[in-house]
Amino acid sequence: MTMESSYLEDQPSTGQERVVQRICARVAGPAVGAGVHVASLPLGGLQVWLDSQGHRWRFHHRMARELRLAGWHTETGPDRLLLLGWSAVCLSHRARMLSAALAGRLADFDKTAFMAVMIATRLRHEGFPLEELPAEVEARCRDALRWPARLDDLDGLERRSSLEPLRLRLAQVAGLEAKVGCRCREHLALVSKVARTVAGGAVPARTRARSSASCSATTGSTPGVGLTERMVCVSVPNVTTTGAGTAR
């Protein structure tokens, strides 16, 4: 480990233990996540270990990969995972991944709309309670987008460094995270609309011009809903309006 690649703070950032616990518990999953423990190291940094003995190596490497994506330098030992401070390399990688998400998956609103229609239609056909369907579809699409959970993991974390290069990288990452968070909210708003439409059995009115103006100004994107409307049209059943006769 060199000073150029990683910097070990004298004191952990505010909220660091809680955030690392949250990330590792999410990656480990509900069965193993309850047994994740995080504690400070005597000279700085954190150590992470698991109660579960089974597949420890696999879980450690999964957690290390997600912590590196958050920007930390990690080392994997035989019985625990060590987190040793911000890494310039890992922060640069995070910036690249955030930029790639904005230009790739998070730029594709049609894919999100298609996914929402497919999930909502399948749940409806399986008899899922209609009043709970929108929330369930949104939760599944949220998991599929990945970045909403990753950004939520960092809530309450004060990111700082005494080294100027790392401060600049942290600022760059924070700016990209704001754009990604805004884009994710646009996607989830679209998912919510599609899910409510499928649950209610009605075709939505055209709303292209009214789509998330504030986020679009930030990210330079406008979610398209034309394809969404066509998919919903073929996914929801015909509904007869009371007193209007039989639908044709």
Side-chain angles (χ1 to χ4, degrees):
M1 180 177 65
T2 67
M3 195 64 74
E4 293 179 348
S5 65
S6 181
Y7 178 70
L8 182 61
E9 299 284 359
D10 293 333
Q11 296 294 329
S13 299
T14 302
Q16 190 178 65
E17 283 192 33
R18 183 171 61 253
V19 167
V20 170
Q21 172 93 30
R22 195 181 298 149
I23 292 173
C24 292
R26 174 176 62 81
V27 173
V32 179
V36 172
H37 302 281
V38 181
S40 298
L41 293 168
L43 299 179
L46 300 174
Q47 55 183 328
V48 183
W49 70 96
L50 301 172
D51 285 340
S52 174
Q53 301 297 316
H55 306 290
R56 177 187 289 170
W57 183 90
R58 184 181 68 187
F59 286 117
H60 279 174
H61 280 269
R62 285 181 180 176
M63 293 186 294
R65 183 168 60 247
E66 198 70 16
L67 291 170
R68 287 194 296 270
L69 181 58
W72 283 300
H73 179 89
T74 64
E75 298 285 349
T76 305
D79 61 347
R80 63 196 57 220
L81 179 68
L82 303 180
L83 185 146
L84 302 174
W86 295 119
S87 163
V89 172
C90 292
L91 287 171
S92 296
H93 174 64
R94 183 172 182 81
R96 286 194 300 271
M97 294 297 290
L98 288 162
S99 297
L102 287 170
R105 178 63 185 89
L106 293 179
D108 191 347
F109 287 93
D110 284 344
K111 184 172 183 178
T112 294
F114 180 80
M115 178 169 56
V117 169
M118 293 299 101
I119 294 173
T121 303
R122 183 173 68 251
L123 290 175
R124 184 180 178 116
H125 288 167
E126 292 173 355
F128 197 86
L130 292 182
E131 64 276 9
E132 300 175 13
L133 188 145
E136 179 66 18
V137 173
E138 185 171 343
R140 294 191 186 191
C141 289
R142 191 177 188 276
D143 289 343
L145 289 174
R146 294 190 178 185
W147 281 106
R150 285 170 172 164
L151 296 181
D152 285 349
D153 282 341
L154 302 180
D155 184 44
L157 176 65
E158 177 189 343
R159 286 180 280 187
R160 62 170 192 241
S161 175
S162 60
L163 290 181
E164 182 67 18
L166 290 184
R167 285 202 299 270
L168 292 175
R169 283 182 171 86
L170 287 168
Q172 178 192 20
V173 165
L176 288 168
E177 285 175 351
K179 293 180 180 181
V180 167
C182 200
R183 190 76 62 82
C184 287
R185 289 191 292 273
E186 287 182 324
H187 279 265
L188 294 178
L190 177 60
V191 167
S192 179
K193 175 186 172 181
V194 170
R196 290 197 309 271
T197 300
V198 174
V203 178
R206 297 190 66 84
T207 58
R208 179 184 292 272
R210 301 194 298 272
S211 59
S212 304
S214 61
C215 279
S216 297
T218 301
T219 63
S221 66
T222 301
V225 295
L227 177 59
T228 307
E229 294 158 7
R230 293 195 295 274
M231 287 190 294
V232 173
C233 283
V234 300
S235 299
V236 299
N238 291 328
V239 177
T240 303
T241 305
T242 304
T246 304
R248 295 182 179 179

